Each structure stands twice: as C-alpha cells, then as structure tokens.
Amino acid sequence: MTKVYGTGIYDFRRHRVAEYPVAAAAESKAVVQKTGSGGGVPSSITLSEIQRDRLTKIAEANWLKSGDAARPKKEFDPDLVRKIYETELLVKEGSKSVPLQRVMILEVSQYLENYLWPHFDPLAATFEHVMSIILMVNEKFRENVAAWACFHDRKDAFKGFLERVLRLKEGRELSIAEKTNYLVFMINAFQSLEDDVVSRTILRLASLKSWYSLSYGRFQMELCLNPGLIKKWKRMIKKEPVKEGGSHLDPSTAVEVMFVRNLIEEFLEILDSQVFPQKQLSGEDDELIDATGLELVNDACVLYCERFMEFLIDLLSQLPTRRYLRPLVADVAVVAKCHLSALYRHEKGKLFAQLVDLLQFYEGFEINDHTGTQLTDHEVLESHYSRMQSFQLLAFKKMEKLRELALTNIGSIHKRADLSKKLSVLSPEELQDLVCCKLKLVSKEDPWSERVDFLIEVMVSYFEKQQSQKEAINALPLYPNEQIMWDESVVPSINYSGEGCLALPKLNLQFLTLHDYLLRNFNLFRLESTYEIREDIQEAVPHLLAYINNDGETAFRGWSRMGVPFKEFKITEVKQPNIGEVKPASVTAEVTYSISSYRAQIRSEWDALKEHDVLFLLSIRPSFEPLSAEEEDKATVPQKLGLQCVRGCEIIEIRDEEGNLMNDFSGRIKRDEWKPPKGELRTVTVALDTAQYHMDVSNIAEKGAEDVYGTFNVLMRRKPKENNFKAILESIRDLMNEYCIVPKWLENIFLGYGDPSAAQWTNMPDLLETVDFKDTFVDADHLNESFVDYEVSFINPDGTENLNPGPPFKIKLPRTLKPSNGATGATNGVNTVDANFQKETLIIETYTPPDPGPYPQDQPKQNSVRFTPTQVEAIISGIQPGLTMVVGPPGTGKTDTAVQILNVLYHNCPSQRTLIITHSNQALNDLFEKIMQRDVPARYLLRLGQGEQELATDLDFSRQGRVNAMLVRRLELLSEVERLARSLQLPEDVGYTCETAGYFWLLHVYSRWEQFLAACADNKEKSTFVRDRFPFKEFFSDAPHPVFTGESFEKDMRAAMGCFRHLKTMFQELEECRAFELLKSTADRANYLMTKQAKIVAMTCTHAALKRKDFLQFGFKYDNLLMEESAQILEIETFIPMLLQRQEDGHARLKRCILIGDHHQLPPVVKNMAFQKYSHMDQSLFTRFVRLGIPYIELNAQGRARPSIAKLYNWRYRDLGDLPSVKEEVIFNRANAGFAYDYQLVDVPDYLGYPANKISILTTYNGQKLLIRDVINRRCVPYDFIGPPSKVTTVDKFQGQQNDFILLSLVRTRFVGHLRDVRRLVVAMSRARLGLYVFCRRSLFEQCYELQPTFQLLLKRPDCLALNVNEITSYTERDVEDPEPRHHIHLVSGIEEMGSIIERLYQEKLSTPVSSKWALF
C-alpha cells in the first residue's frame, strides 16, 4: 500500500479546496485578467479536457502511476522539466504569477510526488527544477492540502532543497512573476514553523546574525536599548569560523545575514521604479499619475508589492521572527517609504495601502520583543513620554532652531500636524543631520535620506503618539456598515481562489500576546459575520422590488420574508457621553412597521422577535431608470440593489398596535397576564450602535455628509441561530478591556511558545497522589490489562496483600506513569521506556465500599464499559491537573471516556465544579444522557441553553426544571422527615421547613446515632444487639428486604451504617434545598442553582460566548473545563469558555482543561472561503495545539464498523485497531444479504431490501442532497414497500452520527473538489457500521494522491455494483469475507438493469407482504 504521511505533526495544512479555476483561453500562455483582490474563479475545466491535454499525455508517458501499468515509464529527463517550466509554467507578461490551469493539471498528475522530488539532487538540480518544485508546493498551499508530506522520506535532500532555495537568486535575475512565486514560497515556509526541517532552515534568516546588515547607527541604538544582547552578540562572534590567518570570515557571505535585507531592497526598487513603468520615461511627478494613469500600472508588480507586505506582516506577527527582524524593517524605514510611494495613493493601490497600515500596526505593536511580555497602557505611555523628553533635551542642547519645540509641552507636539510644523523650520541638511546622525533613525547612505518629506515622515512615525489599541477597538462599531460589507479586500466574495493576498490577519501557530490573539479573532469573527449579513441582505432586498414612484419616493412592489418596509423611524433619545468618552452613552430609536402583507407563519416569525435580537436598518433608493446591460456589468452590488446604507441595532422592547409589551422575559408581565398581540402594526424600540452614531454625526458636522438616519426605509431580520455575532463580539471586546488572565500553566502554550509538554499532568504541581477509580475497572483482570508495564500489587486498607481483589480500586499514581502499550506514541514520544527496564510495582488498594442504604434508589449506578488501556490513560490524565488532549477517531468511545473522567473527578474532588462545553446540542445531549447513567446525583447536573428539551429523559435539567425539581424534592424530603419523627414518637412539625429539619437532625437523629454507636462499642460480641437497639428500625421497616438478620454483629452493623448513610444524605439534600426555600424569586433561585448548587454545568460554546457577561455578573465559578468536539469549535469559541469567571486575587481558578476531539475529521464551519484559505479561521485550538506538538492521547480501538470498513480510514491514525465486539459479534461477521461485498466503489461514468431507517444517503454537496431528496420523494416515498431512507444529508452535517448502511454519492464531473480534504474523506468513510457503497467517477478519484490509501482498497473490488442474486431476504448465513461463488455474483451494468431488478423484487414483495418499510436501492 502507498506509504501514508501526515499522521505526525506535518499533516495539518488548512483544508478547503476551491473549485479549480482555469485560464480564459485554452492556450497555456493565455493570461487571465485579475479580478478583485484574490482573483476570481472563471469557468471550470472538464475531465475530458484534462485527459486530452498535452500535459496529461506527458504525465502518462513519464510519471503517472495510474496510467497503463504495462507500459514502462521513461527515465528522468532534466530537459523535460526545463521545457515544461519554460513553455507551461513561466509567465512572461500579464498580472498573474502562474498559469493556474497548467499548474493544477501538473499538481493533480502528481508531478511533484512522482517526478520532481524523487529525482531531485540538491547539487545537480537545475534552476527550472527548483522553481518547478516551488510552484507545486505553492499550489498545494493554495489548495490547502499537505504540502511538505512527500519531502520527509528524504530529509537530507529536503534540507538541501531549502538551502538551494535560499541561494536561488545568487547571480541570476528573476522575472517579476518568478520573484512573486519565490516570495509566496517564503511566506508559506514561514507559516510552517511546526515542521522541524523547515523551521531549522528558515529561522536562521531571522536570527541575530541578520543584524550584521543593520546600519551602524541603528545597531548601536538597538544594543543600547537591549544591553542583554551585547553578551549574546560577543558569544556569536566568537563562534564565527576563522580563516587561516586567524581573522574571522566576512559575515556577509552567510546567506542569513543579507537575505531579508536584500529582499526588502529589491521590493523598494520595484515599488519605486517598476510599478509605474512609464513614469521614468515621462519624467513626471507622482502627482500626475492619478486616475488617468490606470493603464500605466504594472499589475504583476502590484501583486508582488502586496505579497511582500504580507511577507513582512507575517514576519512581524510571530515572536521568533519579529525579535530580530523588526529593527531591520525600521532601519530601512519600509513603512515610511511605502506611505510616500505613488502606489499607496493610487486607486489600484487600495489593498496595498491597507496592508501597509497593517504592517505599521504590527511594527508598533505593544510588546517587549525580547521578553515577549505585553506592554500595559501605562508602560506604552511612559515609553512615549520618555522618547519625547529625550528628543526635547537633545533639541535644547544641540539645535538652536528647535528651541521652541524643546520648551513646548508634549501634548502640543505629539500629533502629526504639530510635529511636522515644528520640524519645518530646519533646512534639508539640518533635518538630515538630525534624523541620520543625531537620532540615527535611518542611515545617511540611504538614497531616500535626501528627501525632506521622507525625513519628516520618519520623524513623525517615530515620535507621534499612537492611538491605544484598546481605544481603537472600543471606537469600532460592532455592526458592519455598507462600506466594509462590499470591500473586497477585507470581505472577499465566495469565489476567492487563493491567488492574491488580503488585508486580513492570519491565525497560524503563534501569537504575540493575548491581546494580539483576541484582536485577530475579533477582526476575523467580525468580518465573517459581516460576510454572512451581506449574503442575507443580497438575498432579502431583491424580493422587495424597489422602485421610484411618481412623487420621487422609494416604493416597493414585492415582499420579502426577512425584510419589511417600515412606516416610521425616529431617534427618541441620545444620552450624554460617559466621562472620558466622546461617543454617546446610548442612542435609542423607534421603528414602526406593518405585518399585514404576511401570511400567518411569517407573521409569527416577526412576532417572535424579542429583547437583544439584532435587526438591520436599510436605506434603499434605486435608480429612476433601470440600469443598462453595460451599467449592470460595471455596477457594484449596492448600486444594483439601490442600497445606500446599512446600520445595525439591538431590540430593547417590542409593542403591538395597542402599545402592549410583547415577548417580555424581564418579569414586567406575569405569565397569567400575557395576551396575544393585537393589530398589524408593531413598534420596536432599538438601541443603535453609539460608536457608529458618533462617526455618522461627526461626518455630517465636519464634511456635510447626508443624515443617513433620515433615509432608512426597510427593517431586516435574520435567522435567530445565525444572529449571535454581536454578543460574541462584545465578549471578545470585554476580554480585551480586562486584564485577561489565562492560567499560568497554560499561557505560554496557548500563545505557542515554550515546552509543549509543560502543561501535561506529569509536569504539574498539586497532583492527586491517590485516586479512587470507583467503577472504572470492571474487575482485577481489567486493571492488570490497563497497566501491562507495571507489576501490579493488590493490598487491603490495612496494608496486607489481597489475593482475591475486586473493584473498586484506589491507585497511588507515580508522576512518571508510563503510557500504555495500546497507545504507542500516543503522547508524541514523551516518557519513552527502555524494553530491558525491570517492571516497577504499582500499589493498588482494594476496599469494600460502605453500604449505600437499604432502598433500591440508594444503590449507585455502575459503569459497564470495559475501557481500553488507552482510554484508562486518558481518564488518568483527565482527572489530574493540567491540559489533557484526547484524539478520538470514529467509534472509539470519546463520550464514554469523557463521562468517566467526570464521574471519577466528581467522587475524588467533590467540592470542585466542572464546566462541559460542546459544539452541538446533539453532542451535549449524548454526553448528558450518559452522565445520568453514572453515580452522579441528578441534583448536581445543570444543562444551559436551548437544546435541553431534546434530552431523552423525563427529568428536566434546565435551570427552571432543576429549580422545580429541587422544590418538589424538598416537599418529598420534608414528608420523609415527618415520617421519621413519627417513628421516633416526636411531633411532626419538625418537618415544617428545611431549617426545622436541620435542628431535628442535630437534636434527635444525630444524637441518637452517637448514643447507639457508644452502646455498640461495648456489645460487639452480641450478634443481635444491632437489630434490637438500632434507633431507626421502625423508619426502615418499609425497606424491600429485612435490614437486619441478627446472624452477626458485623453484618448488621454494616447495614446500620448504610441506613444512617441514607438518613445523612436525606438531611444533606434538605440543607441544599434550604436556599430555594429562602429565595423567593425564580431568577434568584435559578442563579443560585447555577453558581452554587450545580457541580456539573453543561452548555454549547455559542451559549458560553453569548452569556459571558451574565456569568461574570452572577459570580459563576468552576475548576475544570471539559470540551467535547473541540476540533469542530472555532478558536475564539474555545478560548471564551476558559474565561467565564473572574480571577481570584489575580490568579485564574481553572485547574484542568480537557480537550476531546479529532483533528482528522472536519474542522469548524467558516462560510467564506477567503477566511478559511487565507486567514486559516477554520483552524481550531485543538488542531493548533496538535500542530505545536503538545502531547495528546489517541484512542486506538474502534467499536463502530466492521474491521474491513474501518480499514478504509484507519490508515489516517497511528494505531487504530478494533474492539473485540466488532470481531466477535454475529452482526459484524455476517454478510449484507443480497450484496456480494460489504463495501464497494460503484463507477458512475457519465442502484434488496433493508429497513429504511437503517440506511442513510450522504453526499458532499448541498445541491446533490436536494436533488437526491427530490428523486426519493418522487420514486420511493409513494411506495410503502420502499419508503424514504433514514436521512439524506451532507457528509459535513452527518459528522458524529452513524448508521448500519451508508450510500455515499461522490459523483463529480470535473475535479475531486473539496473531498480532496482528507478530513472530509475520514468522516465520509467512518459513518457506516455494516455496509458502505460509494458512487463516484472512478477515473477522477484513482489519481488523487491524498486519497490513495482509501481508494486503493476500494478499487481492489469490482467497480460495478455486485449483487448476490440468490439472497432475497434480509438475513444470510454467509460470512462477510465470502462473496460466494462467481456464478452467484451479478454485476449490475447500469441504471436500466437496476430498474429491472427492482421491478422483479417489487413483484415478489407483492406476493409476500411485509409489515415494515423496506428500502430498495
């Protein structure tokens, strides 16, 4: 089988693959014109075109393995590589850097894996060979598939290749397209620092050696600012190689010294002289090249400049590269030169300007580069004042002309305009002397140092006061407006192809500080929600059919479900700003609209609006005349829609036509006073965004802009589940404004620095030395199997050996616990064990659990799962402090493991509280239902959020449900107290309240028990003493079995202890109910339950983000965080649940963080392709931690699917085996009746009876899903004997679910599409238990490199559906491995033959009626 890569830390390239765009012309040299910032997606190329293409024919002859196997491949030919590069890959003109169609065809044909890399020699390879590999790697990154995977079979050659790349430009001039491709490769390399070979080579370029290229003045300044580096510099010089004469070699010969500097100077030359190629010829100034100079712009150079800005931003936004390269960027004054460039001000330089601003932001980021600590606002301000004071002192002493500046207060000169004015008194020579010689901000040898505007720009950039990052974020509106919505540079269209860059932050491995982490996530989350809102607006507005009526006003002919024209809009209140702010404290408005045009269902949707829901105010004014075809092509989306502006708002309250409050949840309207809404007019009071309002009012006052608040005419709503963005953005913004504390043990790892195993439990303080595992182990053999590397010794509580041990067990865990054999490599090689090492002894204490009580409800619920050694290892790690990561492949019992961690944790740390977070309500409910089957009292469980009603239980675990349950339980317990009092001949009024019951416990119950114990101490020899003298014998007379036998004192005493335990638990529960007795309001009771009573609180990640403010307000506390499905949760939605509580004395309370997920399955859903591909927003925290090399435990035994089906996906995991159940149970060993094979690929070149609820149909595209549903409704539903399948859905939606039989449709006509993401393949292959039948085009998938291990197995069987015609019932004795003799197997040739088979079966079914529905496919 093909060697499988990507099961270590190298396989986590981002995943999505766009539809393959092609060049507009068929010829390889044709150029596609640039569309937008990232390039558009033109028409798609068909498979037949690919097969006819000359590159495909070359591939078949030279390297394609799936071609004619009999025909030998030709020897490697360097001239062929050169010829392909020069004729197919080299772009000589136009805006694109690569001919995308040609590159894609080569990449799909495995040009890199089968030809370029196997024959690469670092010493002999040609320039074209190296550049071809660079292009193929860049293409893999563009498509988000594993790029470095094939290189790791020859690590020395890989290192040699990277060295060749670094020296590729020496003595050779590259074209602008080649320079761009080279730059993109360097960007990709610096984004792959988790790869050891790449990072060791690439990080040399960002080492201290690069300071040899600094100007002397900047070098002196940096060493003065960082004295600790002087020793490091001297040590580095000593290590330099020495010539024969004893002198050191010239350091500039080392590639790392001048590499980045040379790249920067090359970029500046292109920016200055090649972006506008005719500028030098005309000799005109920059100002003359404005809108009329569009045709003069060299688009290829613009793309290069944009990419170079991306490259520098990446370098400055990661600490390992920022530390020594930021002084280099400042020394050359890249930002200042970009600001003064013609491109920065040009219409085509909009994206470039945004990237320059982002670079400026990161150059001045509030961090100490050498310690990595975030600077506080006070430290930033102090640094600014110190810099200004030093400058003033210098000016006072040395420069007479700047005496006025030296004596002026800082507040009047630290703004750009003021400082420029003060400096204008200097002559050019004096200014140059000040900047270059006295301040040493730039070198005097820099040719730009002759320009006065440049020198002033450098001075101003260095000395002006920068706006605080917190101030900037607080001044930002949370709702998007029309300007940002349709800005393609920041919110690209769905067809982003990955060819260009964007003005967006990236989420990669590391972050500078927590503030940087939050800021990037805030911006991306805001833009992703902006994209979704934009799509909703573009969907809703056209249905309104806006037009201009005879009065010149906007009117509407149509109607829209999500948008309604309103009658009136007025701003009712604008509150004064808070102290220290300029924006209003609040802005309130009222909107009146009518729902008369809607039918009942849509009316109810509008009437369901409630407080805190987000609405959008739209101003629509279409053009009077319809746009012509030419105008339509040139018009922007807002122009086509007639959309003038968009503003968001949040509902405060909603009233009906008579002014009655609707949907009030604040308690102002009692439930029994609620009435249905009256009339058709609704008035909604909304809160506008104060920051946006301040910006709009300022524009009206300063620029004479139109008052947008007088133009609104449409109110738009969104689906409630998709409209949570504002609360989540507020949570992120609140975190940025707090002194955000992540636990110290997690902070460095979280940011991507330090020892990856630092937070592993073996490295943590305050471990649980002895752990009571309760019902984790089924028996002693189970425990022995779980610790095969240890000599297990069982002892009794008194220290004697136990020869007949049984559960429960207490284990004293050694800090250096060895990983189980079943989890080899499961902790990334940590704690490796010598095979010859003598086994250590593990002491296991056995004990007899106390009698729980005489009633059946007193008996604890027991675990029946026989956990594997790896699951036991995960349980041990989860109950200890620190970070636990568990990778759970499909069907390996992730949920059972999580529940057992919670169970053991509850019993060992009863005072601690645990928060459970999942991605979906379904997963949360699965987890909760299993917790209820363990020995955790229901009164300690709480389920928050909207999905609670889906729990398959009679108990209500919502806040209100738990409060009601506590009140009902109080009454039950008080009646028990009254019965106890009667049995003791005492007054029954002791059971009046929880308080009186507490006194009764102390005075009468506990005192009697103590007297009884004292009497027992002197009468142990009397076997009937306990039975005769037990004080509560009458109370327990209703027990199902006699409590005391009188046979032995010890046995009866144990039963008496159990009875007392029952009483103690009863009064403990009453004490817990006391708070609900004292608190009178429902809200107070619910909040007490959440903050004090519940020990295990569960919610979705979305609910946690939405309600963070409420949790902080109520004082919510928790010690442990368990996160299921954590590989499906957005990074920021994983982070917020860690911070739902306030710090205690400056320390985080969180002790354990348990992340359970599978990064080999599908990632979080991000709708915009650009945010996935460019910003990596779909990378979960779990995946990032795995990429960083943080130890994790990988569960290694699946119990879902037949072993044969599991082989289709278990290659993706380290050591995924099968549980005994799937090997031994009959259902897994019997064949699927009527089918020759249990899995099969059915070739669809250009469909036996099973219950319909056992069949699910999956597809990879929504369009196919809808088509299949339509076909089923027409052809299956009308027939009772067929019926619809259990579910027809997409692979993505079916993650986490399973069924006995899966029909998987991968029917594609062009390229593999996004199934090329191996994670989607793993999900698709792992949903079936008994039968998997894949329908696809064989020729399309058999060539796909990433999918080879799976499709090689599938293609070993016939690619026509193989039926066993002798089996016509759903049962067979045939073994699954036996397809029966060949004459029994019938290969279905096509859909017509399948139709005739179904017809025959139909006739047979008519003569043999059946009771249930059967699906025939």
Side-chain angles (χ1 to χ4, degrees), residues 212-273:
Y212 275 118
S213 65
L214 289 178
S215 65
Y216 185 65
R218 172 68 66 168
F219 178 71
Q220 284 180 312
M221 183 167 72
E222 291 296 333
L223 289 183
C224 288
L225 292 172
N226 304 284
L229 289 178
I230 297 174
K231 288 184 180 178
K232 190 172 181 180
W233 181 264
K234 288 178 179 177
R235 284 198 304 271
M236 186 189 75
I237 291 174
K238 284 182 182 177
K239 292 178 183 177
E240 292 288 345
V242 179
K243 293 181 187 175
E244 292 180 6
S247 61
H248 288 284
L249 287 168
D250 181 6
S252 63
T253 58
V255 68
E256 56 264 37
V257 172
M258 295 300 294
F259 186 86
V260 176
R261 179 109 191 184
N262 288 341
L263 279 181
I264 292 175
E265 289 175 353
E266 180 182 71
F267 154 72
L268 291 172
E269 182 187 348
I270 291 171
L271 178 66
D272 190 44
S273 61

Side-chain angles (χ1 to χ4, degrees), residues 466-705:
Q466 302 293 335
Q467 185 184 20
S468 159
Q469 293 172 11
K470 285 183 182 177
E471 288 174 6
I473 214 71
N474 290 333
L476 201 63
L478 290 179
Y479 304 108
N481 58 33
E482 70 285 352
Q483 291 169 331
I484 192 175
M485 269 188 198
W486 282 276
D487 184 344
E488 284 288 321
S489 300
V490 288
V491 189
S493 303
I494 191 69
N495 59 0
Y496 173 78
S497 66
E499 292 176 88
C501 59
L502 300 165
L504 297 174
K506 293 180 183 177
L507 305 182
N508 198 32
L509 280 176
Q510 299 168 321
F511 299 90
L512 295 176
T513 62
L514 282 174
H515 184 85
D516 176 42
Y517 171 84
L518 289 167
L519 191 61
R520 293 194 213 185
N521 278 284
F522 177 86
N523 286 328
L524 285 174
F525 195 91
R526 180 169 173 261
L527 294 172
E528 165 72 2
S529 56
T530 298
Y531 169 76
E532 293 174 14
I533 293 163
R534 182 178 83 184
E535 294 297 299
D536 289 345
I537 290 174
Q538 291 176 189
E539 171 67 26
V541 170
H543 294 289
L544 290 169
L545 302 177
Y547 69 100
I548 301 295
N549 62 18
N550 294 333
D551 299 329
E553 300 292 327
T554 303
F556 302 94
R557 292 193 185 95
W559 65 276
S560 172
R561 183 179 195 140
M562 309 306 282
V564 60
F566 51 71
K567 306 284 185 183
E568 184 183 11
F569 172 85
K570 60 182 178 182
I571 292 178
T572 54
E573 184 182 28
V574 180
K575 285 191 175 179
Q576 290 290 328
N578 295 326
I579 295 173
E581 294 184 352
V582 294
K583 65 183 182 184
S586 70
V587 181
T588 310
E590 283 186 0
V591 185
T592 304
Y593 61 91
S594 170
I595 55 171
S596 60
S597 61
Y598 293 125
R599 59 178 184 267
Q601 182 188 349
I602 303 177
R603 282 190 185 197
S604 64
E605 291 176 6
W606 279 96
D607 283 347
L609 292 173
K610 59 186 183 300
E611 186 183 10
H612 300 309
D613 281 355
V614 171
L615 301 174
F616 288 90
L617 302 164
L618 312 181
S619 175
I620 296 176
R621 186 169 182 82
S623 58
F624 188 76
E625 294 289 336
L627 297 175
S628 65
E630 187 179 345
E631 290 172 331
E632 184 90 18
D633 290 339
K634 293 180 180 177
T636 62
V637 174
Q639 287 170 344
K640 292 175 184 176
L641 297 176
L643 188 66
Q644 303 299 314
C645 65
V646 180
R647 296 290 180 269
C649 58
E650 182 180 329
I651 296 178
I652 297 173
E653 63 180 30
I654 181 169
R655 296 181 180 272
D656 64 14
E657 196 163 333
E658 297 181 1
N660 299 317
L661 206 57
M662 295 167 55
N663 302 336
D664 177 63
F665 297 98
S666 62
R668 285 182 288 173
I669 295 180
K670 296 179 180 177
R671 286 191 174 186
D672 53 355
E673 295 176 1
W674 180 86
K675 295 176 182 177
K678 301 289 177 65
E680 295 174 340
L681 287 181
R682 302 285 180 263
T683 300
V684 58
T685 305
V686 297
L688 300 176
D689 190 295
T690 55
Q692 183 68 60
Y693 182 81
H694 175 69
M695 289 163 60
D696 290 335
V697 171
S698 299
N699 282 338
I700 295 169
E702 296 170 9
K703 301 177 183 176

Side-chain angles (χ1 to χ4, degrees), residues 903-1124:
N903 186 25
V904 177
L905 204 49
Y906 165 75
H907 288 287
N908 283 271
C909 307
S911 63
Q912 293 186 8
R913 310 181 75 227
T914 300
L915 175 64
I916 301 173
I917 298 288
T918 67
H919 169 64
S920 64
N921 280 309
Q922 179 64 46
L924 197 54
N925 292 339
D926 290 345
L927 197 63
F928 225 67
E929 285 164 16
K930 290 192 175 183
I931 294 171
M932 291 187 293
Q933 296 166 12
R934 300 296 165 90
D935 187 24
V936 179
R939 67 181 186 276
Y940 291 141
L941 303 177
L942 177 63
R943 164 77 163 84
L944 300 178
Q946 299 298 313
E948 187 276 330
Q949 59 268 27
E950 299 166 14
L951 276 171
T953 174
D954 296 332
L955 301 175
D956 185 350
F957 285 93
S958 66
R959 271 193 288 190
Q960 188 59 51
R962 285 293 86 209
V963 168
N964 293 338
M966 292 297 286
L967 296 175
V968 170
R969 183 64 178 156
R970 169 182 169 273
L971 296 176
E972 292 173 355
L973 291 169
L974 288 176
S975 67
E976 286 290 285
V977 170
E978 290 174 358
R979 188 166 72 84
L980 178 60
R982 282 198 304 273
S983 72
L984 298 175
Q985 282 85 46
L986 292 170
E988 294 182 16
D989 60 358
V990 295
Y992 181 63
T993 66
C994 296
E995 185 178 11
T996 57
Y999 294 136
F1000 172 61
W1001 160 259
L1002 288 172
L1003 295 174
H1004 298 288
V1005 181
Y1006 194 66
S1007 59
R1008 279 174 167 78
W1009 175 252
E1010 286 184 319
Q1011 291 168 11
F1012 169 70
L1013 288 180
C1016 287
D1018 300 327
N1019 294 278
K1020 290 184 178 179
E1021 69 282 350
K1022 297 179 183 178
S1023 62
T1024 60
F1025 184 81
V1026 174
R1027 183 184 65 184
D1028 298 339
R1029 297 290 298 275
F1030 184 64
F1032 313 111
K1033 187 164 59 175
E1034 185 181 340
F1035 178 77
F1036 289 102
S1037 62
D1038 63 343
H1041 303 288
V1043 179
F1044 305 110
T1045 61
E1047 295 173 4
S1048 75
F1049 177 87
E1050 288 77 13
K1051 190 173 180 182
D1052 282 0
M1053 191 62 197
R1054 175 175 162 78
M1057 296 288 281
C1059 291
F1060 181 71
R1061 182 177 294 277
H1062 175 87
L1063 291 173
K1064 187 176 179 182
T1065 302
M1066 189 173 82
F1067 282 96
Q1068 183 184 339
E1069 277 195 66
L1070 271 171
E1071 184 60 31
E1072 290 171 1
C1073 291
R1074 189 175 176 187
F1076 297 91
E1077 184 178 84
L1078 296 172
L1079 297 168
K1080 298 303 179 186
S1081 80
T1082 303
D1084 288 343
R1085 286 169 171 171
N1087 292 335
Y1088 175 84
L1089 179 86
M1090 181 180 73
T1091 56
K1092 303 291 184 187
Q1093 169 74 12
K1095 297 289 177 63
I1096 296 176
V1097 181
M1099 66 188 83
T1100 63
C1101 55
T1102 305
H1103 186 82
L1106 290 176
K1107 300 295 182 183
R1108 180 178 183 270
K1109 195 176 284 186
D1110 294 343
F1111 292 138
L1112 293 179
Q1113 184 181 341
F1114 297 138
F1116 182 57
K1117 300 286 182 190
Y1118 54 98
D1119 304 270
N1120 314 305
L1121 173 65
L1122 185 144
M1123 203 169 291
E1124 252 267 46

Side-chain angles (χ1 to χ4, degrees), residues 1328-1355:
R1329 294 180 70 241
L1330 304 176
L1332 173 66
Y1333 301 95
V1334 182
F1335 297 84
C1336 70
R1337 185 191 287 267
R1338 172 178 180 154
S1339 56
L1340 192 61
F1341 285 88
E1342 67 181 345
Q1343 295 179 15
C1344 187
Y1345 177 75
E1346 289 77 16
L1347 312 184
Q1348 283 291 300
T1350 295
F1351 278 87
Q1352 282 186 5
L1353 280 173
L1354 287 168
L1355 294 172

Side-chain angles (χ1 to χ4, degrees), residues 1295-1309:
Q1295 180 163 344
Q1297 302 175 58
Q1298 64 183 47
N1299 209 339
D1300 285 358
F1301 299 93
I1302 295 293
L1303 306 183
L1304 177 62
S1305 170
L1306 305 179
V1307 178
R1308 301 276 295 146
T1309 57

Side-chain angles (χ1 to χ4, degrees), residues 4-14 141 146-149 152 155 158 191-200 508-509 756 825-830 885 887 1159-1160 1179 1182-1192 1194 1212-1214:
V4 179
Y5 297 97
T7 51
I9 60 171
Y10 303 116
D11 57 330
F12 308 112
R13 286 296 97 219
R14 274 68 55 184
F141 271 93
W148 308 114
H152 285 277
K155 288 200 173 183
F158 186 20
Q191 290 282 301
S192 305
L193 297 183
E194 76 274 25
D195 187 301
D196 287 341
V197 180
V198 175
S199 63
R200 275 200 302 269
N508 198 32
L509 280 176
T827 50
N828 292 2
V830 178
M885 290 184 52
V887 174
H1159 55 284
H1160 293 304
Q1179 176 181 257
F1182 188 91
T1183 301
R1184 182 163 71 88
F1185 276 2
V1186 173
R1187 288 182 65 203
L1188 283 166
I1190 291 172
Y1192 61 86
E1194 188 171 289
R1212 189 66 174 149
Y1213 300 92
R1214 285 187 171 143

